[in-house]
Amino acid sequence: MNMLYHAFKVMSILLFLYYGMTVLFANAMVAEFARFGLARFRKLTGILELLGSLGLILGYFLPQFTVAAAGGLTLMMGVGVVVRLRCGDSLADALPAFVMLLINLYIVVYALGVR
């Protein structure tokens, strides 16, 4: 299997475990989601990030989970980029979400066998 695919998958697993926990438990994220006008979606976002990470792990045993999890994370990061730009954040502030969008899109495309 492709080394880049596995590296991206492991990176996404680890980062979304971290991001999910941060969104759920860090006070800074409470303020950030309030700034975005999305305070009521903070816990849901954190849970979805954790589920996406767990789905990528399950994907090693049941490959269909990889496409679903990475696809969901790709969509979430797309929304994240739009939210940041609409709130007046710079492109640099939106860059981490955009990079994670591209990484998870690559995972989806690779897992589907599109070459």
Side-chain angles (χ1 to χ4, degrees), residues 4 23-24 38 47 50 71 84 93 95 105-106:
L4 184 62
V23 168
L24 288 173
L38 299 171
I47 290 167
L50 290 175
R84 283 203 167 268
D93 290 332
L95 188 60
L105 181 59
Y106 178 87

Coordinates of all heavy atoms in Angstrom, one line a residue, residues 4 23-24 38 47 50 71 84 93 95 105-106:
L4 N 2.4 7.2 1.6 CA 1.8 8.5 1.8 C 0.4 8.3 2.3 O 0.0 9.0 3.3 CB 1.8 9.3 0.5 CG 1.3 10.7 0.6 CD1 2.1 11.6 1.6 CD2 1.2 11.4 -0.7
V23 N -11.5 20.4 21.4 CA -12.8 21.1 21.2 C -13.7 20.8 22.4 O -14.5 21.7 22.8 CB -13.4 20.7 19.8 CG1 -14.9 21.1 19.7 CG2 -12.6 21.3 18.7
L24 N -13.7 19.6 22.9 CA -14.6 19.2 24.0 C -14.2 19.8 25.3 O -15.0 20.1 26.1 CB -14.7 17.7 24.1 CG -15.4 17.0 23.0 CD1 -15.3 15.5 23.1 CD2 -16.9 17.4 23.0
L38 N -21.1 29.7 16.8 CA -21.4 28.2 16.7 C -21.3 27.5 18.0 O -21.0 26.3 18.1 CB -20.5 27.6 15.6 CG -20.7 28.1 14.2 CD1 -19.6 27.5 13.3 CD2 -22.1 27.8 13.7
I47 N -17.2 15.7 19.1 CA -17.6 14.2 19.1 C -17.4 13.7 17.6 O -16.9 12.6 17.4 CB -19.1 14.1 19.5 CG1 -19.1 14.3 21.1 CG2 -19.6 12.7 19.2 CD1 -20.5 14.4 21.6
L50 N -13.8 13.1 17.0 CA -13.3 11.8 17.6 C -13.9 10.6 16.9 O -13.1 9.6 16.7 CB -13.8 11.8 19.1 CG -13.1 12.8 20.0 CD1 -13.7 12.8 21.4 CD2 -11.6 12.5 20.1
G71 N -14.4 10.9 4.5 CA -15.3 11.8 3.8 C -16.0 12.8 4.8 O -16.1 14.0 4.5
R84 N -14.2 30.1 9.1 CA -13.1 31.0 9.4 C -13.0 32.2 8.5 O -12.9 33.3 9.0 CB -11.8 30.2 9.4 CG -11.6 29.3 10.6 CD -10.1 29.0 10.8 NE -9.8 28.5 12.1 CZ -9.5 29.2 13.2 NH1 -9.5 30.5 13.1 NH2 -9.3 28.6 14.3
D93 N -5.0 31.6 9.0 CA -5.8 31.0 10.1 C -6.6 29.8 9.6 O -6.9 28.9 10.3 CB -6.7 32.0 10.7 CG -6.0 33.1 11.5 OD1 -4.9 32.8 12.0 OD2 -6.5 34.2 11.6
L95 N -5.7 27.9 7.1 CA -4.8 27.0 6.4 C -4.8 25.6 7.1 O -4.8 24.6 6.4 CB -3.4 27.5 6.3 CG -2.4 26.7 5.5 CD1 -2.8 26.6 4.1 CD2 -1.0 27.4 5.6
L105 N -9.3 14.3 1.9 CA -9.8 14.0 0.5 C -8.9 13.0 -0.1 O -9.3 12.1 -0.8 CB -9.8 15.4 -0.2 CG -10.3 15.3 -1.7 CD1 -11.7 14.7 -1.7 CD2 -10.3 16.6 -2.3
Y106 N -7.6 13.1 0.0 CA -6.6 12.2 -0.5 C -6.9 10.8 0.0 O -6.9 9.8 -0.7 CB -5.2 12.6 -0.2 CG -4.2 11.6 -0.7 CD1 -3.7 11.7 -2.0 CD2 -3.7 10.5 0.1 CE1 -2.7 10.7 -2.5 CE2 -2.8 9.6 -0.3 CZ -2.3 9.7 -1.6 OH -1.4 8.8 -2.1

